[in-house]
Every structure is written in structure tokens, then in C-alpha cells.
Amino acid sequence: MYKAENLSKSYISKRKFSQLLKKRDKKKVLNNVNLNIEKGKVIGLLGLNGAGKTSLIKILTTISSYDSGKIYCDDMVVTPKNKIEVRKKINLITGGERNLYWRLSGYENLRYFGTLYNIKALDERIDEVLSIVGLTDSKNIPVEKYSKGMKQRLQIAKGLINNPEYLFLDEPTLGLDVHISKEIRTYIRKLSEDYNKGVLITSHILEEIEEICDYVYVLNRGEIISEGSIADILMEFKKEHSFKITLHSKREMEILKEIMDQESYSYDICSENTINILTLENNELELHRIIRENNLNIMYFIHKPPKLEDIIMEIERR
Ligand SMILES: Nc1ncnc2c1ncn2[C@@H]1O[C@H](COP(=O)(O)OP(=O)(O)OP(=O)(O)O)[C@@H](O)[C@H]1O
Ligand SMILES: [Mg+2]
């Protein structure tokens, strides 16, 4: 287990006026944060821009300092003295295309980063991580010729090079297309399921991490304001997925309505051929299956996932 206990951090900003008075302004960015990362689990850290996600991940990965609290890596308390030892057990993956050498091939990039860790049998390890992220066949191609998705998969391979037990991912799908993001998330899920890594992933989009996280922390202005499974959080704040489905005929609507009654979905009837289905989980695939199996003709299918903003507004309102 990787653990944060009552972590707090302030940044000191010097303002011109207070500088004159020789005073420094303190800005609290993390306030008593408690969080656990279990091996084999994907943990989500959700927060809007500026919530403190990157600050927290930098502290957890020993890059930044903090004012008070404790960090544990398994049974070891993380201190500046043992951070080299801790860094052997963890790694950080950030979104975007920085930190890779574009002129070098995927293999050469990994060889370079691997030597920084002084890994024995590095070539074997490189082959292993390339196969985990499905880049074996493109390992000798320069990274500048990789697609965005391939570059991000190489970032994941880079994060795996030291065979860490805990992986920290800071918005790994930022700026990627919907389908590429989905593909990256599949690889992230695999890391916990097949390789027993403890994974922490940050995002500002609830829908994005809903499908892969076992447990989620909501960070707002440096404080954890809610935690649990996404379904628990949605239930607590009564924010649901809404599926607006318009069918071709009134008769088909009757059929769908009957099925929804049997399956105990909640719904509103909007018109004679339009229904609005509300669920706490993302049941898009399930609904598509029901529609297909009953030969229903869809005119429109609109999925409105719940938004993190709405949950945070609700928490602040309460
Ligand atoms: N080095 C720094 N000095 C002063 N303030 C900082 C510093 N780094 C971050 N901050 C402030 O700390 C707060 C949290 O920033 P942080 O980058 O951790 O948020 P975030 O949740 O990662 O946001 P984003 O979604 O935009 O990446 C922000 O108000 C930011 O302006
Ligand atoms: Mg950030």
C-alpha cells in the first residue's frame, strides 16, 4: 500500500507590496490529504483545473517537498533520505509528448531511460515493456513517426521500465482523441489487473476514469471532498447518466418501456417515441445490446454523462 497521511502544502508567493513589507503570502494548495493506493487497484484522483492534482502527485513521487503529513511506501516512511530507494518502487507518467526523444526510436528511448535506472538485463526488460504496450513491431521506428496514441503508449512503457510497484499517471489522456484515450485506458487497466501494479491516475473528466477506477478521490481546492466508487459518489450526489433515446415508432417505445420496467431502470417518458433513461452506471453498451436484440430502430441516441463540475457544485452547495 502507498499511503498519504494528512499531507499539507503551501506555496509561498512573493507579492510586490508584501515584499516591501518583507512579508510573504502563503497559498495553501493541499490541506490534510489522506489517500491510499492498493496494489492491483486503479485509484482515481479527480479535480478541476488548479485543484492540486499535479502538486499532490509530485509530492507522492518525491519530486516536491511538503509542509506536514506523512507518506508511506509499503511499511517504509518516505523521507528525503530514502527517496532513492522509494524511487526504485515507483514511477511517474505524464500526459503529452514531452520527455521523449523524437529522433530516437522507441527502443532507443527506453534504452536511454533504462540506463538511468541501472537495470540489469535491460534489453530483456525493454522487450517486456514494449510487448505490454503493444509496440514490439514498431520498436525501431523513430518516435517522430509514431501516432499520438503510440507516443503515449511509449510513455507508459517508459514508466514501466524500472518495473515499479506503484505507478502515478498525471492526466495520461490529456489532448488525445476519444478512441485513443480509450485504448490508453485499456492498457492502464491491464497494469493493475495483469501485473498487480498500484495505479493512481488524475483527471478532470469524470467520465474518462469512471470505467477503469476501483476507487476515486475528489480533490477540490486542495481538499479531498468526497471518496468512494464512482457509483457511490454519483448516488450520494444524485448525479446520473442520462440516455435520451428516440425510436422510430410508438409501438417500439412500448417494447422498450416494458423492458426498462422489467430491468428496473428509472426513466421519464418525453414524448410518444422518446424516453430518457437514468442510471448511476454508464450502461451505454447494455442499452445498445437491448436495442439490438429487440430489433428496435433508433432515430437518436444521446448519452449525457454526469459532470465533475456538477458534483463539485452540489458538494459546495451542501
Ligand atoms: N510552483 C508553484 N508556485 C506557486 N503556486 C503553484 C505552483 N505550482 C502550482 N501552484 C498553484 O497550486 C494550485 C494547484 O495547482 P496544480 O497544478 O497542482 O493543480 P492541478 O489540479 O494539477 O491543475 P490542472 O488540472 O490544471 O493540471 C494552483 O492554484 C496553482 O496555481
Ligand atoms: Mg495538473
Side-chain angles (χ1 to χ4, degrees):
M1 179 101 83
Y2 208 88
K3 207 168 163 179
E5 220 176 69
N6 298 321
L7 278 187
S8 295
K9 159 122 185 156
S10 299
Y11 284 114
I12 295 166
S13 58
K14 284 186 233 159
R15 281 215 209 119
K16 278 184 191 155
F17 180 64
S18 30
Q19 234 176 337
L20 282 176
L21 300 172
K22 297 250 190 285
K23 256 206 228 155
R24 288 167 147 205
D25 278 352
K26 266 195 170 181
K27 187 183 173 204
K28 198 146 203 168
V29 286
L30 293 174
N31 191 10
N32 276 323
V33 170
N34 289 290
L35 168 150
N36 293 332
I37 307 160
E38 228 179 289
K39 274 187 203 161
K41 294 268 153 70
V42 181
I43 309 300
L45 180 63
L46 266 172
L48 302 177
N49 291 130
K53 304 180 294 296
T54 302
S55 302
L56 180 56
I57 233 172
K58 280 186 176 169
I59 291 172
L60 292 173
T61 52
T62 75
I63 295 169
S64 297
S65 64
Y66 51 99
D67 304 334
S68 58
K70 267 192 179 146
I71 301 169
Y72 295 89
C73 174
D74 299 326
D75 295 328
M76 185 165 41
V77 180
V78 179
T79 65
K81 277 190 189 151
N82 64 12
K83 77 178 175 195
I84 305 277
E85 205 177 323
V86 172
R87 283 183 187 180
K88 287 182 190 159
K89 292 183 156 205
I90 64 174
N91 212 333
L92 169 66
I93 299 165
T94 50
E97 297 163 4
R98 290 162 292 139
N99 321 324
L100 292 174
Y101 294 96
W102 286 43
R103 298 273 169 90
L104 301 182
S105 67
Y107 167 81
E108 288 163 337
N109 267 278
L110 295 175
R111 173 107 218 145
Y112 170 73
F113 292 110
T115 49
L116 300 181
Y117 281 101
N118 212 356
I119 293 163
K120 290 181 211 119
L122 181 55
D123 269 343
E124 277 167 39
R125 182 66 196 152
I126 292 174
D127 282 344
E128 242 172 284
V129 296
L130 282 168
S131 113
I132 294 173
V133 299
L135 284 177
T136 305
D137 294 341
S138 345
K139 71 176 196 180
N140 293 318
I141 299 172
V143 169
E144 62 192 353
K145 292 196 177 149
Y146 279 18
S147 67
K148 273 192 171 186
M150 287 162 81
K151 284 183 195 130
Q152 193 53 14
R153 268 148 60 200
L154 185 62
Q155 296 271 22
I156 295 178
K158 182 187 152 203
L160 291 172
I161 198 75
N162 61 330
N163 201 9
E165 289 167 36
Y166 300 98
L167 261 175
F168 296 83
L169 298 110
D170 196 8
E171 309 227 25
T173 55
L174 194 67
L176 298 178
D177 294 349
V178 177
H179 68 282
I180 302 176
S181 303
K182 217 177 168 77
E183 175 197 280
I184 296 294
R185 288 198 293 276
T186 317
Y187 284 103
I188 296 170
R189 186 72 226 172
K190 196 166 102 172
L191 297 179
S192 74
E193 268 173 16
D194 299 353
Y195 299 91
N196 201 36
K197 312 274 179 216
V199 180
L200 181 76
I201 174 171
T202 74
S203 178
H204 61 278
I205 304 165
L206 184 117
E207 192 198 352
E208 277 219 339
I209 60 173
E210 171 168 33
E211 63 200 91
I212 60 163
C213 288
D214 299 291
Y215 200 85
V216 173
Y217 294 89
V218 181
L219 187 70
N220 191 40
R221 299 183 205 179
E223 286 186 40
I224 304 283
I225 53 170
S226 183
E227 64 180 273
S229 71
I230 291 260
D232 286 346
I233 293 175
L234 295 183
M235 181 131 76
E236 185 180 350
F237 300 105
K238 302 204 170 49
K239 299 293 172 214
E240 292 154 314
H241 285 264
S242 135
F243 298 92
K244 197 167 200 169
I245 302 171
T246 304
L247 295 164
H248 248 276
S249 66
K250 192 175 164 187
R251 199 188 57 79
E252 289 178 312
M253 242 300 277
E254 289 301 321
I255 298 170
L256 182 59
K257 187 172 159 283
E258 214 165 279
I259 299 166
M260 292 297 104
D261 283 334
Q262 280 163 14
E263 309 248 342
S264 328
Y265 273 89
S266 23
Y267 60 82
D268 294 321
I269 303 293
C270 306
S271 72
E272 64 176 28
N273 61 346
T274 302
I275 186 169
N276 193 26
I277 298 164
L278 300 164
T279 73
L280 287 171
E281 277 165 47
N282 182 357
N283 288 352
E284 187 164 359
L285 294 176
E286 184 62 14
L287 290 172
H288 276 297
R289 184 188 59 76
I290 291 171
I291 286 163
R292 204 176 47 241
E293 283 177 1
N294 291 282
N295 290 321
L296 303 173
N297 285 310
I298 313 179
M299 279 169 71
Y300 301 108
F301 185 104
I302 301 168
H303 173 195
K304 279 198 202 142
K307 287 211 163 72
L308 178 63
E309 288 87 330
D310 297 335
I311 291 176
I312 288 175
M313 260 169 60
E314 178 69 23
I315 294 172
E316 291 194 330
R317 192 187 64 78
R318 288 185 190 183

